[in-house]
Amino acid sequence: MKKVSILVVTYGIDLVESLSLIAISNLDLRNIDYKPVLKIWMNKYSDENIYLNEEIKDKFEIEIVKSLENKTLPIIYNRFLLEQDSDYAILLDQDSIIEDDYISEINQVINDMNVYLLLPKVVHGDTLVSPGRLRLFFGTLDPTLKDRKGIIKDRDIVAINSGLVVKVELVKKDIIKYDERLKFYFTDTKFLLDYNKLGFGIYLLESVISHDLSELSDSNNTSRASVRFSDMVFGFRATYPNGVLRILLESYLVYVAVKYSIKFKSYIFFKLLVG
């Protein structure tokens, strides 16, 4: 049986609050003949509680990293993938709800086929939020993907990081890795863009996982919105350094800067755009 490890990245919460870890503790692993590694990366750790229930300790080999810094996702993901002895790895945010069918389907597929990347259907409420398709320079929703299953070789598929399953040898053999120039925004899209160029195809799982996107909302918080906008500007420009798309991209960023400046009544977005 091929082995799968799991990474959960948390941000400033007690571990008992993580929806992902709650779901993981409830998984039925009786059909798995090994004890999987579960690595929990507590980003920007201060004094959050690291208590875990006995159920999860019994099912997994637990590793906890208490990072005092707010490490970027590409650094965390690459480090995790490089150190794994497993065949595949699952990447999860702190607030994704996975169930038994997700794990069962992954195990069935990777033991029956040679696949390199697997994507679940990810929903926020009743809306499919991943996978999607790349249109110009950003991802868009495609409800038709919810009914597709199996290998897909469309080169415009993009997805969020959480729930993604990757064959570890891709990173260990330096075939592909997360772009460490990026921080948080666009890390998933850039990884999928690079992967799609390999032509290996993506296995779309039938399984659906729930993911909470509320923490990504800018709400009325100028500080949070400015950080995300700065990350967006850097991510887009690093991915599209030149060409026609870069011209369209700059026009789009100006539009977003105007929109945010009006919404938050602040000129900081224009400073970030030109700075």
Side-chain angles (χ1 to χ4, degrees):
M1 174 176 277
K2 292 179 181 175
K3 295 183 178 180
V4 180
S5 54
I6 302 176
L7 171 70
V8 177
V9 182
T10 66
Y11 297 88
I13 64 169
D14 295 341
L15 296 188
V16 293
E17 298 178 81
S18 167
L19 297 178
S20 296
L21 292 175
I22 292 171
I24 288 171
S25 69
N26 292 325
L27 293 174
D28 183 355
L29 302 183
R30 286 175 294 181
N31 292 326
I32 296 178
D33 61 5
Y34 64 94
K35 197 172 185 180
V37 168
L38 169 60
K39 184 159 192 170
I40 303 167
W41 186 291
M42 303 180 74
N43 223 10
K44 207 172 183 181
Y45 175 81
S46 54
D47 60 351
E48 290 80 25
N49 194 315
I50 63 170
Y51 171 79
L52 292 168
N53 63 44
E54 293 303 318
E55 288 181 322
I56 200 168
K57 291 179 182 177
D58 289 341
K59 295 174 182 177
F60 294 91
E61 296 287 349
I62 306 291
E63 299 175 8
I64 298 178
V65 176
K66 294 183 283 188
S67 174
L68 301 179
E69 301 175 78
N70 190 25
K71 290 287 188 182
T72 65
L73 287 177
I75 290 175
I76 295 171
Y77 290 159
N78 286 337
R79 184 179 300 180
F80 171 70
L81 292 167
L82 284 170
E83 69 187 17
Q84 292 312 300
D85 292 326
S86 61
D87 301 287
Y88 290 83
I90 298 172
L91 307 180
L92 291 171
D93 290 346
Q94 66 187 24
D95 43 23
S96 295
I97 301 175
I98 64 174
E99 299 185 11
D100 291 331
D101 64 328
Y102 169 70
I103 298 297
S104 297
E105 186 178 8
I106 290 170
N107 281 318
Q108 180 180 353
V109 172
I110 65 175
N111 284 287
D112 289 347
M113 304 173 61
N114 182 31
V115 293
Y116 292 93
L117 191 72
L118 302 88
L119 296 175
K121 313 301 189 335
V122 183
V123 297
H124 175 63
D126 295 325
T127 304
L128 178 73
V129 295
S130 177
R133 294 188 183 277
L134 187 72
R135 294 292 181 260
L136 289 179
F137 38 78
F138 50 84
T140 59
L141 302 180
D142 182 358
T144 65
L145 291 174
K146 196 169 186 177
D147 298 322
R148 297 187 65 176
K149 176 187 174 183
I151 293 290
I152 181 172
K153 293 200 172 183
D154 303 21
R155 297 291 184 97
D156 61 348
I157 297 297
V158 291
I160 65 173
N161 288 314
S162 197
L164 179 148
V165 187
V166 60
K167 195 168 189 179
V168 171
E169 71 174 41
L170 286 178
V171 175
K172 284 195 168 186
K173 292 183 177 180
D174 205 26
I175 298 172
I176 187 176
K177 64 180 180 179
Y178 276 88
D179 190 333
E180 295 189 5
R181 295 176 301 166
L182 307 182
K183 298 179 181 179
F184 300 97
Y185 189 88
F186 218 67
T187 58
D188 41 18
T189 299
K190 180 64 164 56
F191 183 79
L192 264 294
L193 287 175
D194 292 340
Y195 177 82
N196 287 337
K197 293 175 184 176
L198 300 174
F200 293 158
I202 297 169
Y203 192 96
L204 292 186
L205 298 165
E206 188 175 11
S207 304
V208 177
I209 71 175
S210 298
H211 182 68
D212 184 6
L213 293 176
S214 60
E215 68 175 50
L216 299 180
S217 172
D218 295 323
S219 185
N220 292 314
N221 188 319
T222 304
S223 176
R224 179 185 293 182
S226 63
V227 170
R228 281 182 51 75
F229 181 70
S230 176
D231 202 8
M232 175 195 298
V233 171
F234 183 84
F236 275 153
R237 287 175 174 170
T239 305
Y240 302 104
N242 47 51
V244 176
L245 275 181
R246 177 59 184 264
I247 298 172
L248 295 173
L249 167 64
E250 292 298 331
S251 300
Y252 174 73
L253 291 175
V254 170
Y255 161 76
V256 175
V258 171
K259 177 181 174 182
Y260 279 14
S261 295
I262 294 172
K263 178 178 179 179
F264 297 102
K265 298 180 175 59
S266 172
Y267 291 106
I268 190 173
F269 302 99
F270 284 106
K271 293 179 181 179
L272 292 171
L273 187 61
V274 300

